Amino acid sequence: MTGSVRDNVARVRERIGRAAARSGRRPEEVRLVAVTKTVPLERILEAREAGLAVFGENYVQEAEPKVRALPDAEWHFIGSLQRNKAGRAVELFSWIQTVDSPRLLAEIARRAARAGKVVPVLVEVNVGGETSKGGVDPAELPGILSAASGLPGVRVRGLMAIPPFADDPEESRSHFARLRELLASLRGGAAEMSELSMGMSNDFEVAIEEGATMIRVGTALFGIRP
Ligand SMILES: *Cc1c(COP(=O)(O)O)cnc(C)c1O
């Protein structure tokens, strides 16, 4: 993918708009998280200038200089988080999207409480049942949520998933629908549990049609990663 970041942002926004219109939603209901792993700072600044304000990073160390350079942006952690990095993650990121165990949740909460923060988090669900992927089994969700309710440093705001990779975005649809149904079955009227982070460059339109409130887009904005 060539093209300037500015052009790419415009194209992605158009795609978001069309997918939202198809499903009777407003484009403002979908937060575009620009995924910046391996992307150099000057390209991220171009995205910022094109109006993007929410960024996602997979590695704490790689993120640090980028977060420092754009402190007023909203940074989401979207990688696999080791417990010994939870403190740094709490310092750097506004959201942590990839909680995948009660122990990680408790450590984030402990670090957040120490920093006087309440960190919004998502629980990552392994919707495809893939052994190679992170995320909790759906059966573990009620336990994690009840543990979270006793931890003042975290607020579980919803669910996140990375379905099995497929060339045809339609193959992701049933996984996205499953995540939406899981959220509906768990939230029990809790309005703050409303976020669905799902959809990447090749399938975010389908995710929007299935109710995504956050899409995580890298390649379509910044080009193919090295
Ligand atoms: C890299 C990454 C993305 C972005 O993927 P693209 O296909 O480049 O849009 C989204 N989510 C997660 C968790 C990622 O690691």
Side-chain angles (χ1 to χ4, degrees):
M1 192 166 327
T2 52
S4 69
V5 172
R6 177 172 294 275
D7 291 344
N8 294 343
V9 168
R11 263 194 295 272
V12 167
R13 285 231 165 93
E14 255 175 56
R15 289 171 60 188
I16 293 170
R18 279 197 298 270
R22 271 200 301 280
S23 42
R25 304 182 63 203
R26 289 176 301 120
E28 309 83 69
E29 293 170 34
V30 182
R31 187 169 351 200
L32 172 57
V33 181
V35 175
T36 51
K37 59 172 176 257
T38 78
V39 176
L41 186 56
E42 61 269 23
R43 302 270 284 167
I44 302 174
L45 292 170
E46 280 176 56
R48 186 81 181 98
E49 271 156 34
L52 299 193
V54 187
F55 297 95
E57 275 283 335
N58 294 61
Y59 301 98
V60 172
Q61 206 168 332
E62 182 186 342
E64 185 147 1
K66 299 174 178 177
V67 176
R68 303 256 179 255
L70 286 90
D72 59 336
E74 182 178 289
W75 288 89
H76 290 224
F77 188 82
I78 61 166
S80 169
L81 186 58
Q82 294 164 281
R83 261 180 301 134
N84 63 9
K85 301 261 171 67
R88 298 296 294 137
V90 163
E91 247 174 76
L92 291 169
F93 292 91
S94 303
W95 287 70
I96 297 176
Q97 293 205 5
T98 43
V99 169
D100 63 359
S101 73
R103 293 177 77 195
L104 176 60
L105 182 73
E107 182 62 9
I108 293 168
R110 193 174 72 83
R111 295 297 195 141
R114 190 190 281 179
K117 292 183 175 176
V118 180
V119 179
V121 303
L122 305 180
V123 179
E124 181 179 354
V125 182
N126 188 349
V127 281
E130 297 169 283
T131 49
S132 61
K133 283 250 176 86
V136 304
D137 187 277
E140 297 171 64
L141 282 170
I144 292 199
L145 293 185
S146 77
S149 66
L151 298 169
V154 288
R155 197 156 287 153
V156 179
R157 297 292 309 279
L159 305 176
M160 178 270 202
I162 311 170
F165 178 80
D167 282 320
D168 178 2
E170 282 301 328
E171 287 182 33
S172 302
R173 187 178 296 277
S174 62
H175 297 292
F176 294 149
R178 176 92 200 284
L179 198 70
R180 183 191 64 231
E181 285 154 14
L182 280 170
L183 184 76
S185 73
L186 292 164
R187 64 192 284 197
E192 67 173 27
M193 178 92 176
S194 58
E195 303 286 346
L196 283 172
S197 173
M198 57 191 196
M200 315 196 334
S201 289
N202 73 324
D203 58 11
F204 69 76
E205 284 112 324
V206 174
I208 290 170
E209 289 167 13
E210 295 300 330
T213 63
M214 298 184 189
I215 56 173
R216 308 176 311 268
V217 179
T219 309
L221 293 169
F222 299 109
I224 293 167
R225 286 180 290 275

